[in-house]
Amino acid sequence: MTTSRTTSPEVIPGRRRRWRYVAGFLVLAVLLVVAGRLAWTWLNPMGEQTIDRSQPVLLQSIKDLSRFEAATGNFQVVVDLEKDANFLPDAIKGTRTLFVGSGGVDAYVDFSAMATNAVTVSEDRTEATVRLPRAQLEKPNLDNSRSYVFAQQRGLFDRVQDFLSGSPGDQRELYLLAEKKIREAAVASDLRARADTNTKAMLSGMLKSLGFTKVTVKFTDEP
């Protein structure tokens, strides 16, 4: 014998009301979470605020430049600096740092070093002779955006010392060593010779544009 089961009309509205309460509670919970996150982001008691209290830049001096920047060389060096203790293993005391240093070196000719008779002109003003000093190298200029510590190993004592000091290891030594190596590479390169050639070409073109048909550019160490 089969009996049919019918749902009371009062039961369905009751379930619907419960689901509405549950849905309303979930929506309210989501809104509270979103509002809480927005409030935390706005207040952010653990956040940091950067305040720039730097003083105005002070102009100390102005110098007139009388030199021609004739060439620029871009260099990169990997500095491998290791410091070991005399009687302790590296795991206890010692550091090894790999530092990538990138920067440029300018080669220039200083026109202020020219003698008073460095430029001679023929009587008919068709020939000119110029005697110049050789090109010099400017101090290497490391690019901070492309210079960085690639890897570093530190012993236990060094880690504790850095932690107690509250500041990382000084990188000044790495920058100075990178500058030294880049300068040595610039001296060994043909950067100065390229600057000499460019200066000659620049002066020859400029004087010929002024009407001189024959221009001779020599350096002071040339016969």
Side-chain angles (χ1 to χ4, degrees):
M1 179 176 181
T2 304
T3 59
S4 60
R5 184 178 179 181
T6 60
T7 303
S8 175
E10 292 80 5
V11 176
I12 296 177
R15 290 182 178 177
R16 291 180 178 176
R17 281 196 298 269
R18 286 196 296 271
W19 279 112
R20 288 175 182 174
Y21 292 151
V22 172
F25 176 77
L26 293 176
V27 172
L28 180 60
V30 172
L31 291 177
L32 289 175
V33 171
V34 173
R37 290 207 54 165
L38 291 176
W40 180 269
T41 304
W42 181 59
L43 296 175
N44 197 5
M46 302 298 293
E48 296 181 353
Q49 183 179 6
T50 302
I51 302 176
D52 187 0
R53 292 194 175 94
S54 303
Q55 299 296 318
V57 178
L58 177 63
L59 177 61
Q60 293 184 332
S61 64
I62 296 178
K63 295 182 179 180
D64 294 330
L65 298 179
S66 56
R67 64 187 189 182
F68 174 62
E69 301 287 343
T72 299
N74 293 315
F75 298 87
Q76 185 179 80
V77 61
V78 177
V79 176
D80 188 349
L81 184 62
E82 184 175 0
K83 294 184 178 181
D84 297 326
N86 293 330
F87 304 104
L88 293 175
D90 294 341
I92 302 299
K93 177 65 176 176
T95 61
R96 183 179 180 183
T97 305
L98 296 178
F99 177 78
V100 178
S102 301
V105 179
D106 295 332
Y108 66 93
V109 175
D110 189 2
F111 291 153
S112 65
M114 295 173 59
T116 55
N117 59 347
V119 179
T120 57
V121 179
S122 63
E123 294 183 356
D124 58 359
R125 301 190 63 83
T126 59
E127 298 182 10
T129 302
V130 183
R131 287 191 171 271
L132 298 174
R134 289 285 183 178
Q136 304 178 49
L137 295 179
E138 186 62 270
K139 178 183 177 182
N141 183 22
L142 257 63
D143 187 353
N144 292 331
S145 63
R146 297 189 296 123
S147 301
Y148 56 93
V149 174
F150 176 74
Q152 188 175 43
Q153 297 176 353
R154 294 177 297 170
L156 179 61
F157 285 176
D158 299 281
R159 293 178 181 272
V160 173
Q161 183 178 0
D162 290 344
F163 176 77
L164 294 178
S165 64
S167 61
D170 188 11
Q171 297 183 1
R172 176 177 173 81
E173 184 179 6
L174 297 172
Y175 275 86
L176 292 177
L177 187 56
E179 288 183 357
K180 178 177 178 294
K181 292 183 177 296
I182 287 178
R183 178 170 180 80
E184 292 173 351
V187 171
S189 69
D190 63 343
L191 185 58
R192 286 179 294 181
R194 178 71 64 86
D196 290 339
T197 301
N198 294 343
T199 306
K200 277 187 174 184
M202 184 273 296
L203 288 177
S204 297
M206 182 184 68
L207 293 175
K208 287 181 179 179
S209 66
L210 296 177
F212 293 96
T213 58
K214 182 179 180 181
V215 177
T216 303
V217 180
K218 293 184 178 181
F219 293 98
T220 54
D221 58 351
E222 292 180 337

